[in-house]
Each structure stands twice: as C-alpha cells, then as structure tokens.
Amino acid sequence: MKFLKNQKVEVCSKEEGFVGSFYEATILNPIYDNKQVFYEVEYKNLVEEKNENKPLVEKVRHDEVRPLPPPVVNERGYLVDELVEVFDNDGWWFGTITGKTGCCYSVYFPTTGDHMEYHVSCLRPHQDWVQDKWTSYK
C-alpha cells in the first residue's frame, strides 16, 4: 500500500526499548530511492530533542508505516489474555490483559517485560495490518 501526502498514519518504532510501539504521524512526502519507498513523516506527539515546541520529522521505511486502525467500539470490556494496545509515552504499545480492578486493567508487555495498570480509556483492541487489511483478535 502506498500512502499519500497529508495522510494520517502510525509508524512502528524499531528503536531498542520502543520496538513494537506505534506513533501517530502525518505523511509529509513519499521518497523513492533506488526502488525503495520511504516516507518523510511528522509525528503528532513526538517532538524534537532540542526544541520541544517543534514536532519530530523523520524519514521512515515503507514497512514501518500503517494506516490509522479503524475505531473499534468495545462495550463488553476486556478479558484476561486478550490482546490490546495501550496509549502510553505518546504511543500505542502491544500487550496482554492479565487482570482487572474496577475501571483499570493490568497489562503485560512482552517486548519490555513490564506489567502495569491502566484505565480502560487508555486501551484499544489489538489489530494487525497484514497484506493491506486489518485483522482483529477477539
């Protein structure tokens, strides 16, 4: 799938400690370099290290970009062992529900080994972008 200028997307981080997390961005320009496709993106929530008032802009590979996932209404809540994504540290992180207390869910993150608690408003069902379509896990 090719993304267009000004399209809202999510970019997967490949940096150590951030692997598997996704950050919302806008496509500024597609870049074609020796038959490879890259995108110049501007992040919604990430800022430059030296100027925190300026959004971070960077060049990313095409396989690090996916469209924004479709919204999913989850009226039933989440079940133990259900796959979710949690909004934390300016991005979406993949995890597994391990328990619930009131309106908060305990989530285990396999990429970092962390186990943390989040309000239900920080969660969304996990979806994967595979072969140009969304796959849900329920």
Side-chain angles (χ1 to χ4, degrees):
M1 173 178 206
K2 292 191 178 186
F3 299 98
L4 306 173
K5 185 175 183 172
N6 296 321
Q7 185 173 353
K8 304 283 188 220
V9 296
E10 288 185 347
V11 178
C12 181
S13 178
K14 303 289 185 184
E15 285 189 42
E16 187 176 330
F18 297 90
V19 172
S21 59
F22 284 86
Y23 298 87
E24 190 174 332
T26 301
I27 301 291
L28 297 179
N29 291 301
I31 302 167
Y32 303 97
D33 185 12
N34 292 330
K35 298 183 182 179
Q36 293 185 26
V37 179
F38 296 88
Y39 294 100
E40 181 182 37
V41 299
E42 178 180 274
Y43 290 96
K44 178 180 178 181
N45 297 315
L46 300 180
V47 294
E48 286 189 2
E49 198 170 306
K50 294 182 180 180
N51 182 354
E52 293 184 4
N53 294 319
K54 189 173 180 186
L56 178 63
V57 173
E58 68 179 0
K59 177 180 167 183
V60 297
R61 294 190 337 248
H62 76 282
D63 62 346
E64 296 175 359
V65 180
R66 69 183 189 183
L68 292 180
V72 176
V73 176
N74 183 354
E75 294 177 2
R76 67 164 172 77
Y78 298 96
L79 305 172
V80 170
D81 293 330
E82 187 169 351
L83 304 177
V84 295
E85 293 176 4
V86 177
F87 192 78
D88 193 6
N89 291 324
D90 299 318
W92 291 98
W93 297 75
F94 168 77
T96 304
I97 297 292
T98 58
K100 180 183 179 192
T101 305
C103 293
C104 294
Y105 288 88
S106 297
V107 181
Y108 172 73
F109 300 94
T111 57
T112 63
D114 292 331
H115 196 206
M116 301 173 73
E117 194 168 288
Y118 293 90
H119 188 271
V120 66
S121 63
C122 297
L123 304 178
R124 71 182 183 191
H126 175 66
Q127 300 177 77
D128 278 326
W129 181 245
V130 180
Q131 298 179 345
D132 292 342
K133 65 181 179 181
W134 287 104
T135 302
S136 295
Y137 302 90
K138 292 184 182 182

